């Protein structure tokens, strides 16, 4: 007859001990359900120092004045696509050299050329800022089919490149202005995606 060795008894005892500990663990985690007529009690958690509320951010006074000046009255312009089309026309009036410079925001040019180009694209960016304040953007396309021409896509990409170049070069020392330019690019993308 085979008698179990001490080693096998040790393994068996270890398995039984682990099962017993698992049973105790599950028993400790089990909570009794609330009575059917009473809602479950909630215990308010104490806030840790990391969870305390941060003070509200208030932008500097000069940036709020700038934002107010850029906002468009919705009663005068009710379609952001009209403002974007004006920006398309201003971009189309640029020379081919200026358009090629604006095509890549990493392009470095002389300070005089940069200042002149910043002056020319500022109205484009201002129109984009005004358009981003208008909630309605109807491109007048109608239902999209396979034959629908989305002619505003390439022009939108070009003015977005101009705004990005403006943020990188014209507003390199103005973080708030660069952020506003970048935000206008995102809102242009949202307006296009709502087509």
């Amino acid at each position: 007859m085979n008698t179990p060795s001490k080693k096998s008894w040790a393994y068996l005892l270890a398995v039984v001990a682990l099962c017993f500990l698992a049973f105790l663990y599950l028993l400790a985690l089990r909570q009794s359900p609330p009575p059917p007529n009473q809602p479950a009690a909630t215990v308010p958690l104490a806030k840790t120092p990391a969870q305390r509320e941060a003070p509200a951010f208030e932008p500097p006074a000069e940036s709020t004045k700038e934002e107010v000046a850029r906002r468009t009255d919705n009663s005068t312009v009710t379609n952001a696509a009209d403002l974007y089309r004006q920006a398309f026309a201003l971009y189309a009036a640029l020379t081919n050299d200026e358009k090629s410079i604006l095509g890549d925001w990493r392009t470095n040019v002389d300070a005089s050329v940069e200042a002149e180009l910043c002056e020319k694209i500022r109205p484009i960016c201002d129109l984009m800022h005004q358009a981003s304040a208008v909630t309605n953007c109807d491109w007048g396309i109608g239902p999209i089919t396979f034959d629908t021409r989305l002619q505003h896509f390439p022009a939108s990409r070009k003015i977005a490149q101009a705004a990005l170049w403006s943020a990188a070069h014209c507003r390199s020392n103005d973080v708030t202005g660069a952020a506003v330019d970048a935000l206008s690019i995102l809102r242009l993308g949202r307006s296009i995606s709502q087509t």
Side-chain angles (χ1 to χ4, degrees):
M1 189 164 169
N2 255 347
T3 60
S5 67
K6 288 183 180 180
K7 198 175 197 179
S8 62
W9 279 106
Y11 284 129
L12 182 62
L13 186 60
V15 169
V16 169
L18 282 175
C19 290
F20 181 72
L21 289 174
F23 174 77
L24 288 178
Y25 179 74
L26 291 174
L27 188 63
L29 288 180
R30 184 175 159 250
Q31 295 177 356
S32 61
N37 296 340
Q38 295 178 350
T42 57
V43 178
L45 298 175
K47 289 187 177 182
T48 62
Q51 292 176 333
R52 291 189 184 132
E53 293 180 18
F57 173 74
E58 293 188 26
E62 59 272 357
S63 69
T64 55
K65 290 177 186 172
E66 183 179 351
E67 289 299 317
V68 170
R70 287 187 185 149
R71 289 190 191 126
T72 303
D73 183 15
N74 283 343
S75 64
T76 58
V77 178
T78 58
N79 190 1
D82 295 337
L83 293 169
Y84 288 127
R85 286 187 183 104
Q86 292 174 16
F88 298 161
L90 290 175
Y91 183 86
L94 297 174
T95 65
N96 288 335
D97 290 337
E98 292 168 338
K99 290 177 186 176
S100 66
I101 292 170
L102 295 176
D104 185 9
W105 65 271
R106 295 170 292 208
T107 304
N108 290 321
V109 293
D110 294 332
S112 61
V113 174
E114 184 177 285
E116 181 183 340
L117 197 51
C118 286
E119 182 91 15
K120 286 186 177 181
I121 63 173
R122 177 66 8 225
I124 295 171
C125 294
D126 289 341
L127 284 169
M128 289 177 68
H129 300 159
Q130 291 174 5
S132 66
V134 178
T135 56
N136 179 33
C137 187
D138 182 15
W139 295 98
I141 296 174
I144 295 178
T145 64
F146 288 110
D147 298 326
T148 303
R149 298 198 50 166
L150 304 174
Q151 296 176 347
H152 61 288
F153 277 14
S156 297
R157 185 171 154 245
K158 298 297 182 185
I159 65 169
Q161 288 174 341
L164 182 61
W165 198 89
S166 171
H169 294 276
C170 306
R171 302 226 192 201
S172 60
N173 295 329
D174 179 16
V175 176
T176 305
V180 170
D181 284 346
L183 184 62
S184 68
I185 296 169
L186 294 175
R187 289 191 175 148
L188 170 63
R190 185 190 67 200
S191 297
I192 290 173
S193 68
Q194 290 176 349
T195 305

